Amino acid sequence: MVPHLTTALNGQLLDLEKRMLAAMPQIEHWFRSQWQEYASPFYASVDLRNAGFKLAPVDTNLFPGGFNNLNPEFLSLSVQAAQVAVEKICPEARRLLIIPENHTRNTFYLRNVYELSNIMRAAGLDVRIGSISPEITAITRLETHDGHSIVLEPVVREKNRIMLKQSTLDGVTYEAFDSCAVLLNNDLSGGIPPILEHLEQNLIPPLHAGWSTRRKSQHFAAYNRVVDEFSTLLDIDPWILNPYFDTCGEVDFHARTGEECLAQKVEELLHKIKLKYAEYGITQEPFVIVKADAGTYGMGIMTVKSPDDVRDLNRKTRNKMSVVKEGLQVSEVIIQEGVYTFESINDAVAEPVVYMMDHFVIGGFYRVHTGRAVDENLNAPGMHFVPLAFEKSCSLPDCAGKPDAPPNRFYAYGVVARLALLAAAIELEEQDPLNQ
C-alpha cells in the first residue's frame, strides 16, 4: 500500500480526499486492473502542486535523481519494490550495471547514485557503476558531499553487450563484470550514444524513455485519458487533478520566430483557465508555465500571466529559454496550466515530489525554495529538500477517520502520483519503436 506522510489538504481537496477514502477499495482494484494491462516503469518521480482547489502533477521524471533525499527510515519500501521490479524484468538477474549521468562534479547527484546502488544491493544484486562519460577513461573513485564515495568504471562494448573490464584501484582488483540488466540513471538529454544501441541485455528504462525522443506533451496526452477514466470512477471534475496544456512546435527564441504562435496559444489557454476559475469561484490570477517539451533540471522554464509576456522577450530571457541540459536548442515548447502551490515549510514555498519503484510509492520529499513565489518553478538553483514526514503506520488509511487525520493526509498524493505513473506506462508502450 501507499505510505502516508504529514501534509496539508484543505478546501476543495478535503472533499476530494473524502471521495478517495470512501472509494479506496474501488480505486485500488482499478489500479490493479490497469497494472495487468500496462507494464509499470522501473522507477519514476512525480512533481505535484497542491493549490487547495487543485492537486495535479506538473512533471514526471523517468530517471529520478533524488534517492538521497528520501527518508532513510523507509529504505525497506524501496528494497521490496526493487525486488518486485527486477523479478518482472530479469528474474534470473544476479548482477546489475548502473549507468549514471555524465556530470560527475555534482556531488549531490553522486550521493543519489550511491543511495540507488545501495537499494539495488539490498534487493540482492551485485551492483557496479559504469560510466559512458568521455571524462572517465580509467577506474575512478569520486567523493560525495557528505563523505561517501562511489567507484566509476569505464564501460566497454563487446558485440551486443556492454561490460566492465578487470581493473585495479587502491590495491583492490575489480573483476570483469557482465550483467544481465543495465539500469540507466541517465536521461539521455544529449541523444542516444551508440554504445547503448541494439544491446541484447535488458536496458531499463528503455532508450525511448530518454529525453532525446520523449516529449512532455505525449505524457500529458496520456495523462488526460487516465484522469478522464479515473474521474468517472470518482464522479469528479477531471480538471481538479489535471492541468490544461497545449504545444507550440516551431519556436526559435534566438531568431524570434514562433512568438506570435506562442502568444496565441497562451491567450487561449489562459481563457480556458479563467472560465474554470470563475466556475469554482477562485480569485487567484490564472497563469501558465512555458517550458521545453523535452528536458529536465528546471531549465528553459518561465511563468506567464499574459500573452504579452512572451512577445518581445528580452535577451536574457530568450537566452534562458533557448537552451536546456546538454546545451540542446529548444524548438518545441509545452504551455501548461500553472498550478499554485500553497504548501510551505518555515515560510518557504514547497512542493511534494513522490518517488515510485515499479507501481509502489516508496517515499518522497518536499522541494523547498526560499527565493521563489507560489506561482514559480521551484526546480532552480537555491532549492533544498526536506524528506516527507511519514506516519508510523504505512499500510492502510483510516477510512473511518476524518480526511485530514494524520494517516490519511498522503493518500491523495499517492493516488495522483500513481495516475501519472500509469500515464507514463501508457506513453512508453505507445512510443515503443517495436509497436510503431
Side-chain angles (χ1 to χ4, degrees):
M1 279 297 296
V2 180
H4 310 294
L5 61 99
T6 302
T7 186
L9 286 171
N10 53 50
Q12 209 160 315
L13 292 190
L14 270 180
D15 179 63
L16 174 67
E17 180 72 350
K18 287 177 186 175
R19 289 173 181 265
M20 286 187 177
L21 289 172
M24 193 195 76
Q26 294 96 310
I27 290 172
E28 297 305 324
H29 176 267
W30 182 81
F31 271 120
R32 284 195 298 273
S33 66
Q34 298 298 316
W35 295 128
Q36 289 174 0
E37 188 171 349
Y38 299 103
S40 172
F42 185 85
Y43 55 10
S45 65
V46 176
D47 296 358
L48 299 177
R49 302 275 286 202
N50 174 0
F53 56 84
K54 187 181 184 98
L55 173 64
V58 294
D59 204 9
T60 300
N61 186 2
L62 298 180
F63 301 86
F67 282 94
N68 53 309
N69 297 315
L70 301 181
N71 190 331
E73 291 184 21
F74 291 84
L75 177 64
S76 59
L77 292 171
S78 304
V79 172
Q80 291 168 353
Q83 288 172 331
V84 172
V86 170
E87 285 168 8
K88 285 183 179 178
I89 295 168
C90 190
E92 70 280 7
R94 295 166 54 193
R95 302 183 187 91
L96 180 72
L97 178 63
I98 297 178
I99 297 182
E101 297 279 2
N102 290 348
H103 45 256
T104 56
R105 294 181 180 85
N106 185 334
T107 59
F108 291 91
Y109 173 74
L110 296 180
R111 185 66 172 81
N112 156 76
V113 177
Y114 174 87
E115 199 59 45
L116 178 58
S117 61
N118 279 349
I119 291 169
M120 303 314 297
R121 284 191 187 97
L125 295 165
D126 183 7
V127 178
R128 301 263 284 275
I129 305 168
S131 176
I132 57 174
S133 169
E135 295 181 4
I136 304 298
T137 57
I139 187 169
T140 305
R141 186 182 304 279
L142 297 172
E143 301 294 323
T144 68
H145 67 284
D146 56 355
H148 295 286
S149 67
I150 63 171
V151 174
L152 280 184
E153 303 175 66
V155 171
V156 297
R157 178 161 178 156
E158 293 188 5
K159 296 183 179 179
N160 289 331
R161 300 184 72 82
I162 55 174
M163 57 194 68
L164 307 175
K165 294 288 191 181
Q166 179 177 307
S167 52
T168 302
L169 179 66
D170 301 329
V172 177
T173 298
Y174 292 76
E175 299 296 335
F177 191 81
D178 185 2
S179 63
C180 158
V182 178
L183 178 59
L184 285 177
N185 198 240
N186 181 318
D187 64 22
L188 307 178
S189 290
I192 299 173
I195 196 171
L196 297 181
E197 291 183 325
H198 311 299
L199 295 178
E200 61 186 47
Q201 290 146 302
N202 288 289
L203 194 60
I204 45 181
L207 293 176
H208 66 276
W211 286 122
S212 53
T213 53
R214 186 176 178 233
R215 295 293 178 268
K216 295 171 187 175
S217 53
Q218 293 167 347
H219 172 74
F220 282 100
Y223 184 75
N224 280 348
R225 287 142 49 198
V226 168
V227 172
D228 283 349
E229 183 176 338
F230 180 79
S231 298
T232 301
L233 179 71
L234 250 63
D235 191 25
I236 60 172
D237 181 351
W239 176 77
I240 294 171
L241 302 175
N242 195 4
Y244 289 142
F245 80 93
D246 205 337
T247 59
C248 194
E250 296 181 6
V251 179
D252 186 328
F253 287 100
H254 276 312
R256 307 184 71 165
T257 57
E259 278 186 7
E260 200 49 48
C261 157
L262 184 56
Q264 183 179 341
K265 295 288 183 72
V266 165
E267 186 171 24
E268 291 169 357
L269 203 57
L270 284 171
H271 179 68
K272 282 182 69 175
I273 301 167
K274 284 175 182 175
L275 292 177
K276 275 295 180 186
Y277 277 26
E279 180 183 339
Y280 285 97
I282 297 163
T283 57
Q284 279 82 16
E285 182 182 6
F287 70 101
V288 297
I289 298 292
V290 176
K291 54 188 175 181
D293 203 8
T296 184
Y297 284 84
M299 301 177 72
I301 298 177
M302 63 178 171
T303 300
V304 174
K305 295 185 176 179
S306 160
D308 290 336
D309 291 347
V310 296
R311 294 186 178 106
D312 301 322
L313 294 173
N314 62 40
R315 181 180 297 177
K316 181 180 178 181
T317 304
R318 290 204 309 274
N319 288 340
K320 183 186 81 167
M321 290 299 298
S322 64
V323 177
V324 290
K325 187 182 167 195
E326 305 283 353
L328 296 180
Q329 296 294 312
V330 174
S331 60
E332 303 167 85
V333 296
I334 180 171
I335 306 114
Q336 188 178 61
E337 175 186 349
V339 182
Y340 285 94
T341 179
F342 292 135
E343 297 206 76
S344 63
I345 294 178
N346 297 328
D347 297 323
V349 178
E351 65 183 10
V353 183
V354 177
Y355 268 56
M356 290 159 289
M357 195 170 280
D358 196 74
H359 60 270
F360 304 101
V361 174
I362 60 171
F365 51 82
Y366 279 110
R367 180 183 286 119
V368 184
H369 205 302
T370 57
R372 291 289 172 113
V374 294
D375 59 355
E376 292 185 293
N377 165 51
L378 304 188
N379 188 0
M383 63 183 169
H384 66 276
F385 306 98
V386 177
L388 293 172
F390 288 99
E391 296 299 321
K392 291 179 181 178
S393 171
C394 292
S395 55
L396 293 169
D398 178 9
C399 295
K402 294 182 179 179
D404 58 347
N408 297 334
R409 288 175 179 163
F410 183 52
Y411 189 63
Y413 283 14
V415 168
V416 176
R418 286 185 290 163
L419 292 174
L421 184 73
L422 176 57
I426 295 170
E427 169 199 359
L428 288 180
E429 180 177 297
E430 292 180 346
Q431 301 303 320
D432 189 335
L434 297 178
N435 296 333
Q436 301 298 313

